[in-house]
Amino acid sequence: MRDVAVVGIGIMKWGELWRKSFRDIFTEAALNALDDAGLDKIDSLIVGCMSGGLFVGQEHVGAILADYIGQKNIPAARVESACASGGLAFRQAYIEVASGMSDIVMAGGVEKMTDVSGDGATYALATAADQDYEVFHGVTFPGLYAMMARAYMKKYKTTRKQLSAVPVKAHKNGSMNPFAQYPFPIKLEDVANGVKVADPLHILDCSPITDGAAAAILTTVDIAKKMKKPYVRITGTGMATDTIALPQRESLTWLKSTELAGKRALKMAGRKITDMDMVEVHDCFSIAEIIVTESLGIFKKGEGAKAAARGVTALDGKIPVNPSGGLKSKGHPVGATGIGQVVEIVKQLRGDAENGRQIKGNPKVGMTQNMGGSGASAVVHILEVA
Amino acid sequence: MFPSRIWREMPQRYRLEAAVCKKCGKRYYPPRLVCAECGGRQFDTYVLPEEGKLLTFTVIRTPASQFSDLAPYAMGIIKFDDGLQMMGQIADCDIDKLKIGQKMRLEFRKIQTDDTHGVLSYAYKFIPKWY
Ligand SMILES: [Zn+2]
């Protein structure tokens, strides 16, 4: 396999973008990535999109997007793994370049979620759960994570304040991210006083509904060197799956797919979790970030919430988690989220993070963890400086 | 939801049929065609117990549209004595008094009405045992 690098990244301002269409938001991110790499041509496109069909009635996403980004006739595929679709697109693009099939591949992600009502979005997102044995009975996505939160909080005696520390930290970081949907700080009491969505989760425990897109350009390290542009190496990729239905899992307070995807990516990179200078993880809900940081081995079982409350995961903490603002503040356009995480880690490794968000001490290794559904899919990548 | 989709789930939703792997004894609800533990493809059918213990729960306050008349409503995961776990709604309860570990009994209830085809679909709900 060939060594693979990221030579370009592109993102756009995420939010409720009523004036912009599905194809336009992706094109904006894709053109930014091409400009960043100094390229006008790619060999192939892989794009993550969870549900073009339910959100905008558009399937056949690969072809329409290849055409609209100005790359007519190239091979193009859409991949889907619920909210991990973006991470999966990055992994498939990596495989395509590493294998020698293509030299320059764009890994993209896109979701246009506000062309449907809140009900419609709830319905579309719920298709990532077991339709016949979870959704049929009336569960929603916040409901699934709320059940994990209840079990976790009882088991480890977690307080409301400890849980609230996660979104407060996310918004603090996101307030420095010019591309974030909600770039403003919030207070601990704002989280506790917010309207309940699915007990014990309140509205500010939950990531928002977002329109957004992101893209990355992958090529070989050899080609990247010749391009004389700053590049970042992809040293590890790992993916794992688990039962889609939450009741069928061995544990309600552990994410086995994240544990396995993390171990696989670390093994490939020849790294330990303690080597990471920062991580971007899938904080679709406050409880998700806590269980993910434990399942990746950053914290011991039951220590994730306490560590977040102590500031260990802050921008200036021992291990910064979600310097971008995470899904919570930056936004969660489901198919684009995994690529958005890559964009942040590449910026941090290049020293390009905006507005004082740059982690001090020249970070050299970072990780992304992107997750689908209530954790039935997880994709982890390790990125390192050239 | 097209009627056939509801009709084909009747054995497990109406009669609570689960499956046990003939080779390794692993239990499944809903039943499957191949055992995820040992690869066995032969199963015995058995009927789930009518009682389980509440492992975790939530109160859904922003449901999908077909459940909006019910909100807020409780949902949880129960565990049977034989180790199997399932998710469902918790009915006939005071949502402020639910507790992890509570005994729940299964009852046959209407789950939802399909707007397009007018089909009523039924299955189990969990009822706290002292009601
Ligand atoms: Zn078996």
Side-chain angles (χ1 to χ4, degrees):
Chain A
M1 293 218 298
R2 309 191 291 178
D3 290 335
V4 182
V6 179
V7 285
I9 47 169
I11 196 159
M12 34 95 59
K13 170 82 174 166
W14 289 3
E16 288 185 62
L17 310 175
W18 295 318
R19 301 176 70 98
K20 293 179 183 178
S21 66
F22 174 77
R23 65 191 78 178
D24 287 347
I25 57 177
F26 184 69
T27 303
E28 204 177 320
L31 293 178
N32 286 341
L34 287 167
D35 292 350
D36 186 46
L39 291 169
D40 52 17
K41 194 88 197 87
I42 55 173
D43 297 328
S44 169
L45 168 70
I46 312 240
V47 59
C49 176
M50 174 181 164
S51 195
L54 290 174
F55 285 119
V56 288
Q58 182 68 62
E59 307 289 12
H60 210 170
V61 163
I64 187 171
L65 295 182
D67 179 17
Y68 273 80
I69 65 170
Q71 305 288 328
K72 201 162 61 173
N73 303 133
I74 62 167
R78 171 262 194 108
V79 295
E80 187 273 321
S81 196
C83 315
S85 299
L88 179 62
F90 193 71
R91 177 176 159 86
Q92 298 307 124
Y94 169 88
I95 292 168
E96 188 165 332
V97 173
S99 70
M101 279 297 288
S102 302
D103 284 339
I104 296 172
V105 179
M106 178 182 290
V110 59
E111 214 74 56
K112 173 76 187 165
M113 301 172 76
T114 68
D115 278 359
V116 293
S117 64
D119 269 3
T122 298
Y123 174 79
L125 291 171
T127 60
D130 186 325
Q131 199 57 235
D132 288 336
Y133 288 87
E134 292 182 320
V135 182
F136 170 80
H137 290 278
V139 85
T140 58
F141 251 88
L144 291 167
Y145 279 93
M147 289 190 218
M148 289 189 238
R150 173 97 56 188
Y152 182 97
M153 292 173 86
K154 163 115 178 160
K155 187 172 180 183
Y156 299 117
K157 302 187 172 54
T158 311
T159 64
R160 175 65 255 180
K161 243 178 151 170
Q162 289 169 342
L163 201 62
S164 300
V166 174
V168 168
K169 181 261 304 166
H171 275 269
K172 189 179 177 191
N173 295 352
S175 71
M176 296 175 260
N177 187 341
F179 301 97
Q181 180 172 13
Y182 295 123
F184 51 76
I186 57 167
K187 296 195 192 74
L188 284 173
E189 51 272 29
D190 296 336
V191 188
N193 295 337
V195 64
K196 283 181 185 171
V197 175
D199 317 25
L201 300 181
H202 296 237
I203 187 82
L204 291 175
D205 285 300
C206 312
S207 57
I209 301 284
T210 310
D211 300 330
I217 313 272
L218 284 69
T219 187
T220 66
V221 167
D222 290 340
I223 296 172
K225 280 179 184 159
K226 284 178 205 143
M227 287 170 68
K228 301 202 188 323
K229 284 261 180 183
Y231 68 89
V232 159
R233 290 180 300 136
I234 306 165
T235 55
T237 175
M239 186 181 181
T241 52
D242 198 352
T243 68
I244 192 168
L246 190 58
Q248 294 180 21
R249 306 253 172 94
E250 287 162 40
S251 168
L252 298 173
T253 57
W254 190 254
L255 290 159
K256 179 108 181 166
S257 61
T258 288
E259 177 201 342
L260 293 174
K263 282 180 174 163
R264 286 166 188 169
L266 286 167
K267 188 179 174 201
M268 180 173 169
R271 290 285 188 183
K272 300 191 297 293
I273 189 72
T274 47
D275 293 335
M276 299 303 123
D277 294 319
M278 72 241 142
V279 295
E280 280 280 310
V281 303
H282 197 93
D283 61 323
C284 48
F285 298 92
S286 51
I287 186 66
E289 176 167 318
I290 290 165
I291 300 181
V292 164
T293 50
E294 293 177 18
S295 301
L296 286 172
I298 297 172
F299 303 116
K300 290 200 180 74
K301 278 184 186 171
E303 295 295 320
K306 293 169 201 156
R310 281 201 317 270
V312 180
T313 57
L315 214 49
D316 57 357
K318 196 173 156 220
I319 171 76
V321 176
N322 289 333
S324 69
L327 284 53
K328 177 68 203 76
S329 166
K330 189 176 51 179
H332 185 25
V334 285
T337 286
I339 304 289
Q341 295 176 325
V342 169
V343 166
E344 178 68 13
I345 296 292
V346 170
K347 279 185 187 173
Q348 292 286 348
L349 293 175
R350 299 199 316 206
D352 286 345
E354 307 90 346
N355 302 341
R357 210 168 79 252
Q358 180 63 44
I359 292 163
K360 305 267 182 309
N362 301 319
K364 290 183 174 54
V365 194
M367 174 187 269
T368 60
Q369 179 268 348
N370 187 201
M371 181 159 78
S374 58
S377 295
V379 187
V380 172
H381 284 97
I382 316 259
L383 298 161
E384 306 196 25
V385 291
Chain B
M1 223 179 289
F2 216 64
S4 55
R5 183 153 185 193
I6 295 158
W7 169 77
R8 79 171 80 101
E9 300 297 325
M10 277 184 183
Q12 39 277 21
R13 285 192 189 146
Y14 286 27
R15 299 197 294 272
L16 299 176
E17 286 182 8
V20 54
C21 174
K22 277 189 171 178
K23 216 160 122 192
C24 78
K26 170 86 181 169
R27 290 161 186 263
Y28 291 98
Y29 183 85
R32 302 178 172 209
L33 297 176
V34 57
C35 177
E37 299 299 323
C38 77
R41 296 186 190 184
Q42 292 192 318
F43 294 87
D44 284 323
T45 298
Y46 76 104
V47 174
L48 287 173
E50 281 170 17
E51 235 179 80
K53 213 175 70 181
L54 190 61
L55 278 188
T56 187
F57 63 96
T58 182
V59 177
I60 306 283
R61 296 176 190 272
T62 54
S65 54
Q66 70 270 39
F67 294 100
S68 50
D69 291 349
L70 268 177
Y73 55 91
M75 289 199 72
I77 296 175
I78 61 164
K79 183 173 192 157
F80 300 107
D81 283 342
D82 67 6
L84 266 190
Q85 297 176 184
M86 62 153 66
M87 184 181 288
Q89 269 183 41
I90 307 169
D92 301 352
C93 68
D94 180 342
I95 53 175
D96 296 321
K97 290 190 177 148
L98 289 169
K99 277 197 172 63
I100 288 177
Q102 245 175 315
K103 281 258 167 67
M104 296 276 157
R105 134 176 91 74
L106 270 65
E107 271 192 19
F108 187 69
R109 296 287 176 101
K110 189 180 93 176
I111 305 296
Q112 50 176 289
T113 308
D114 183 85
D115 289 342
T116 327
H117 299 89
V119 181
L120 305 179
S121 46
Y122 295 84
Y124 42 84
K125 286 191 185 181
F126 310 146
I127 317 292
K129 226 192 142 185
W130 50 76
Y131 285 94

